[in-house]
Amino acid sequence: MSSLRKAGKAGQQEHRERSQLESRKHLGELEKKKDYKLRADDYQKKKKKLHVLRKKALDKNPDEFYFHMINSGVKGGIHHEKTSEPTEETLLQTKLMEGQDLRYVRFKRDVERKKIDKLKSELHLLDLPGVTRNVHTVFVDSKKEAKNFNPVKYLDTHPSLIDRTFNRPKLDTLKEHSVVGAQSKADVTLANRERKAKYSELMKRMDRERELTIVTNKLQVKKNVAESKGEKPKRVLKGSSSRAPVYKWQYERRR
């Protein structure tokens, strides 16, 4: 059906919007329908907004009272908040308390980082989720050698240790020293359980350190905004649970 409609329109006359008259060329391009539509929509939007504001003004109760009427005022064209009681802390004391909170959070974050570094030094991070495992590539000269390749013989270790990614001593070392977990299956299970517990603790501490870093960034931004002089900085990006808000300060030329 669409092809028939297209075929029927083949002989129709093409309708075009008229252009500006020659005598009115100096006034610019003639307004098209799309331009008028934008202007009309904007006019209707403003008309509806004025209607809502006019209705609110008519419905307003002249006897309405709220405390902000007497707790604020305008002096010299600038709005000020009236405080009936003096604050217990000065501006310097408030900044010191906020700075104390920031220093405490930073201290706790540094403590977590030190514990994370200690756990990472004890573990090999080979069984940690999300960590790419290393691949041991062995190059041989022919396909026959690749087919008959024996990793136990090549690595010169015990067959029970071939699946290990760490602590895989050679046979000469095993003859002189005993390796924990190499002989007893119960020891291997216990070692794996302890290693998993340490990995779990490491993941929890990394999550806590990430949260403390976000809190530190938010407190630092709040402090910078409070201490800013002159024009108030403009917020560019709103903060969330995973990041601090982003503010833009007015550029000041340094002498």
Side-chain angles (χ1 to χ4, degrees), residues 8 13 21 36 59 74 92-93 118 155 172 194 200 255:
Q13 181 182 1
L21 298 176
Y36 161 76
D59 295 341
V74 178
L92 179 60
Q93 291 174 356
K118 185 177 179 181
L155 297 173
D172 297 338
E194 292 178 354
S200 177
R255 290 186 178 181

Side-chain angles (χ1 to χ4, degrees), residues 13 40 44 52 55 62 69 98 124 223 232 243 246:
Q13 181 182 1
Q44 293 296 334
V52 172
K55 190 174 183 302
M69 289 179 176
E98 292 177 353
H124 294 267
K223 181 182 178 183
K232 188 176 180 181
R243 68 170 185 272
V246 179

Side-chain angles (χ1 to χ4, degrees), residues 12-188:
Q12 289 184 356
Q13 181 182 1
E14 184 180 359
H15 296 278
R16 300 178 181 177
E17 292 188 63
R18 65 187 181 92
S19 60
Q20 184 69 279
L21 298 176
E22 287 292 337
S23 60
R24 297 173 57 86
K25 282 281 187 179
H26 64 282
L27 297 176
E29 294 291 332
L30 186 66
E31 186 182 39
K32 306 299 182 183
K33 183 178 179 180
K34 58 180 182 180
D35 304 322
Y36 161 76
K37 190 79 170 87
L38 293 173
R39 186 165 55 84
D41 291 342
D42 183 61
Y43 171 75
Q44 293 296 334
K45 184 178 178 181
K46 292 177 180 177
K47 186 177 178 181
K48 290 179 181 178
K49 191 172 183 179
L50 288 173
H51 177 72
V52 172
L53 292 175
R54 191 176 293 109
K55 190 174 183 302
K56 284 185 177 180
L58 291 174
D59 295 341
K60 185 177 180 181
N61 183 9
D63 297 329
E64 183 180 1
F65 172 80
Y66 51 95
F67 286 99
H68 200 250
M69 289 179 176
I70 60 176
N71 291 336
S72 63
V74 178
K75 282 186 179 180
I78 301 176
H79 187 269
H80 294 279
E81 297 290 336
K82 295 180 182 178
T83 54
S84 56
E85 297 181 0
T87 56
E88 296 180 359
E89 298 87 13
T90 62
L91 182 61
L92 179 60
Q93 291 174 356
T94 305
K95 289 182 179 180
L96 287 174
M97 287 190 291
E98 292 177 353
Q100 186 177 1
D101 295 338
L102 179 59
R103 286 193 296 271
Y104 175 75
V105 176
R106 280 179 179 171
F107 166 73
K108 297 299 291 184
R109 183 197 60 184
D110 294 339
V111 170
E112 291 296 330
R113 284 182 177 177
K114 289 180 181 179
K115 291 182 179 179
I116 289 171
D117 293 339
K118 185 177 179 181
L119 284 171
K120 284 183 177 180
S121 63
E122 295 176 358
L123 301 170
H124 294 267
L125 301 180
L126 298 174
D127 299 331
L128 191 64
V131 177
T132 306
R133 290 178 175 272
N134 295 329
V135 179
H136 193 164
T137 305
V138 180
F139 296 92
V140 293
D141 297 331
S142 62
K143 294 183 178 180
K144 184 177 179 181
E145 291 184 16
K147 186 177 181 180
N148 300 327
F149 180 76
N150 186 2
V152 177
K153 185 177 180 181
Y154 178 81
L155 297 173
D156 191 22
T157 186
H158 195 270
S160 62
L161 305 177
I162 194 64
D163 294 332
R164 282 192 171 192
T165 54
F166 62 94
N167 193 16
R168 188 172 53 198
K170 294 188 176 182
L171 292 175
D172 297 338
T173 307
L174 291 173
K175 290 178 181 178
E176 298 176 0
H177 306 282
S178 60
V179 181
V180 177
Q183 305 297 331
S184 174
K185 188 175 181 180
D187 293 341
V188 173

